[in-house]
Amino acid sequence: MEEIFEPIPTGIITKDELFNFLEDFPALLWRIDIIKNKIEYLNSYKIKGLGTKSGLILQNIDFRNRIILKEDLHLLERFMESVRNGKTAATIFRIKNKDDHITWIKVTGTIDRKNPRFYLGYMLDVSDTVGIVQDTLEKDADIEAMIELVNNPVILVDPYDKRILAHNMAARDLFCYKAAEFSKLKFSDLYHQSIEIHINRIYEETVFERKWEGKLTFQRKNNSPFIGDVVIRSLFFRGVRVFRVSIDNVSVDDEVVRRFVLTPGNEASSSDPADKDYINKLMKMLRNKSDMSAILQIMLDNQHGHMNFDSIIYSDIYIRKNKVVVYSAGKALSPMKQGEVFSYEGTIAENLNRYKLDYLIMEDTFSSIKAIDWALFIPHGLRSYFAKPFFERRVMRTVLILCSTQRNMFSDKYISDYALLYKPFLKGLTIWRKTKKKKTP
């Protein structure tokens, strides 16, 4: 008679037991926020020969290049690319310690299925089991997993009552809804009322042709509109018909969108007299300023509300040329020359553009895995920042960054205060560009 194995019932693990497990687990456990490029460590495990610097292998490119064998560098770089794309991955590489001792390191990670903006993983010394080779641990299992792995926003809609059945991380970032909020929406909550007269024809074409393509105008949670290229497909998922809505090439600067947007910079529309007085005051101070460092210094010296920044950066973005030109004001950034050039890849601008974010807050740069944070912010002692992008003719050209030498100095609840700077800054930016153009031979 065949024996049947039945697991012995056990009680629920306590918080103390879970904490002890994490601390005793023989690997460095970590979690990465893919959107913010921020890493946090879940235990205090240290790799032999690296000690407290163990985590820098994932964070600091310069440290990585110094300690990993050159012929193995591409293995970790490929793994970090999988992290950025939310793909399950594993790899093994070698590091050389101070005494030239070779240690084999394994890193493994996967997306957090319950909260897909997070990527979970561990790193450990596998020198004793060096025969283990790298392997891919996961394949696309179903459509829900598939939409989490694509970079552009994707939504699954019930074709009958138009409820949102599923959505990915990029969709949440684009529409500015939390996961729990998104799940309660209907598709009509996402598109702009201006397309209501066309939506039934779009649904009909999707049903009979299995596919509809075109541009649609949407609106975020705060009612700000944007336009995007949309593909709607009719398909079966687990025996049920669904509409798969894919959005790409998002823009907030089209003529269609301008009909619904009062100002291109999305500046503050506060009814508070003190806020209006502040904007008017700043506009007057910047009226005749044509030097960017002077413009930024005036904004730094004249703050209002809960702005709380001690340095400020203007990034002039050239995506096609793969460069970002940086201007700044503030004591922390005084050693940096005005107009210093950085690669676009790995910058705040790239992150904002990739996920179509309205803004980005980094609570602690030491938890970041963005190259620019380790090349610019950390060396100058900047610990937190708020970044706001601006677009011209559908292209990101400008990012304004408020910085602090202290952690956690910027918050979502003070966005309206930061927004008071937009209109004066854009005015100063226009004057600066016109002056710069005249000086160019």
Side-chain angles (χ1 to χ4, degrees):
M1 181 175 178
E2 183 179 355
E3 294 184 354
I4 300 176
F5 170 77
E6 293 186 1
I8 300 174
T10 59
I12 299 175
I13 188 170
T14 66
K15 289 183 178 179
D16 287 340
E17 290 172 332
L18 179 60
F19 178 79
N20 291 335
F21 168 77
L22 293 176
E23 278 300 309
D24 295 339
F25 192 74
L28 179 61
L29 305 174
W30 45 264
R31 183 176 77 162
I32 289 176
D33 184 328
I34 298 175
I35 301 300
K36 290 188 175 181
N37 282 306
K38 174 182 176 181
I39 191 169
E40 59 181 320
Y41 300 100
L42 307 181
N43 64 356
S44 56
Y45 180 82
K46 300 178 181 64
I47 301 293
K48 185 177 180 180
L50 293 180
T52 57
K53 296 182 179 180
S54 299
L56 289 181
I57 289 179
L58 300 177
Q59 290 184 263
N60 193 320
I61 293 178
D62 290 336
F63 181 80
R64 183 187 309 166
N65 291 342
R66 289 198 308 269
I67 200 167
I68 298 178
L69 270 61
K70 290 183 178 180
E71 55 267 37
D72 288 2
L73 266 173
H74 72 282
L75 298 172
L76 183 56
E77 290 171 354
R78 191 184 306 161
F79 175 81
M80 296 306 293
E81 181 65 26
S82 295
V83 173
R84 287 189 289 271
N85 292 325
K87 295 182 178 179
T88 296
T91 195
I92 298 175
F93 56 89
R94 295 165 293 171
I95 64 171
K96 182 182 290 188
N97 294 325
K98 293 181 180 179
D99 58 358
D100 288 337
H101 176 73
I102 299 296
T103 301
W104 289 78
I105 303 295
K106 178 180 179 179
V107 286
T108 298
T110 188
I111 203 75
D112 184 340
R113 286 185 175 272
K114 292 187 177 180
N115 193 347
R117 75 176 290 161
F118 291 109
Y119 193 93
L120 306 172
Y122 64 85
M123 177 167 59
L124 73 161
D125 181 344
V126 291
S127 301
D128 294 336
T129 54
V130 71
I132 298 176
V133 297
Q134 58 188 5
D135 190 18
T136 302
L137 303 179
E138 183 181 340
K139 295 182 179 180
D140 296 340
D142 52 33
I143 292 181
E144 286 179 322
M146 290 171 63
I147 66 174
E148 290 295 357
L149 295 177
V150 298
N151 290 328
N152 65 297
V154 175
I155 302 162
L156 297 185
V157 179
D158 187 320
Y160 300 102
D161 60 13
K162 310 304 185 292
R163 290 182 301 110
I164 304 298
L165 300 175
H167 53 276
N168 66 358
M169 175 177 58
R172 292 193 293 276
D173 291 328
L174 179 60
F175 289 96
C176 302
Y177 284 103
K178 295 179 180 178
E181 296 174 323
F182 216 122
S183 300
K184 298 176 182 178
L185 301 176
K186 289 191 174 184
F187 191 52
S188 57
D189 295 316
L190 301 180
Y191 62 72
H192 195 273
Q193 59 184 6
S194 61
I195 71 167
E196 187 68 50
I197 59 175
H198 307 295
I199 197 66
N200 287 331
R201 177 183 58 81
I202 293 172
Y203 288 149
E204 184 176 328
E205 184 173 331
T206 304
V207 170
F208 288 100
E209 302 296 332
R210 300 293 180 90
K211 179 181 178 182
W212 180 89
E213 287 187 77
K215 288 183 178 292
L216 289 180
T217 306
F218 296 92
Q219 60 185 14
R220 303 180 197 270
K221 181 181 178 181
N222 62 5
N223 294 322
S224 62
F226 63 89
I227 197 167
D229 293 335
V230 178
V231 177
I232 304 179
R233 297 180 185 275
S234 177
L235 49 84
F236 280 93
F237 172 50
R238 294 177 180 172
V240 178
R241 183 179 294 279
V242 299
F243 287 163
R244 181 186 187 275
V245 182
S246 175
I247 307 171
D248 211 344
N249 296 324
V250 170
S251 171
V252 293
D253 200 34
D254 281 64
E255 288 296 329
V256 176
V257 176
R258 289 186 185 184
R259 301 175 193 170
F260 312 109
V261 184
L262 295 177
T263 54
N266 295 326
E267 57 264 23
S269 58
S270 173
S271 58
D272 188 330
D275 290 346
K276 291 183 177 180
D277 289 343
Y278 171 73
I279 293 175
N280 292 333
K281 170 189 171 184
L282 210 54
M283 292 286 285
K284 290 179 181 178
M285 297 179 73
L286 296 172
R287 182 181 297 161
N288 299 314
K289 298 298 180 182
S290 59
D291 179 72
M292 181 50 68
S293 60
I295 293 171
L296 296 175
Q297 190 65 49
I298 288 174
M299 296 171 66
L300 177 62
D301 295 338
N302 296 273
Q303 299 184 39
H304 178 76
H306 298 84
M307 292 180 179
N308 297 328
F309 59 97
D310 46 47
S311 293
I312 184 170
I313 293 174
Y314 155 56
S315 293
D316 196 9
I317 314 299
Y318 299 87
I319 297 176
R320 291 184 178 179
K321 295 181 180 180
N322 190 34
K323 74 173 184 178
V324 174
V325 185
V326 174
Y327 302 84
S328 64
K331 183 178 179 181
L333 295 168
S334 57
M336 188 173 69
K337 68 178 182 179
Q338 299 294 334
E340 187 163 343
V341 179
F342 294 87
S343 170
Y344 170 74
E345 185 177 348
T347 61
I348 296 170
E350 183 189 37
N351 218 49
L352 289 164
N353 201 34
R354 180 178 186 183
Y355 291 103
K356 312 304 178 189
L357 303 178
D358 287 335
Y359 62 87
L360 175 65
I361 292 177
M362 173 57 71
E363 295 88 354
D364 186 354
T365 53
F366 271 102
S367 65
S368 173
I369 58 172
K370 286 198 299 298
I372 194 67
D373 287 344
W374 287 88
L376 172 58
F377 290 87
I378 291 175
H380 289 93
L382 299 175
R383 297 297 301 274
S384 60
Y385 58 75
F386 164 85
K388 169 66 181 178
F390 298 90
F391 296 81
E392 297 175 21
R393 294 184 294 276
R394 301 182 64 179
V395 178
M396 180 188 291
R397 279 298 317 279
T398 298
V399 176
L400 180 66
I401 310 171
L402 311 181
C403 315
S404 176
T405 54
Q406 300 181 53
R407 294 182 301 162
N408 302 308
M409 288 304 291
F410 304 99
S411 170
D412 296 300
K413 63 182 179 180
Y414 297 132
I415 296 298
S416 59
D417 283 355
Y418 312 146
L420 299 176
L421 294 169
Y422 301 165
K423 185 176 180 180
F425 168 67
L426 291 175
K427 178 65 176 178
L429 178 63
T430 300
I431 297 173
W432 175 77
R433 282 181 174 168
K434 287 181 178 178
T435 304
K436 184 181 178 183
K437 190 174 182 180
K438 289 179 181 178
K439 293 180 179 180
T440 304

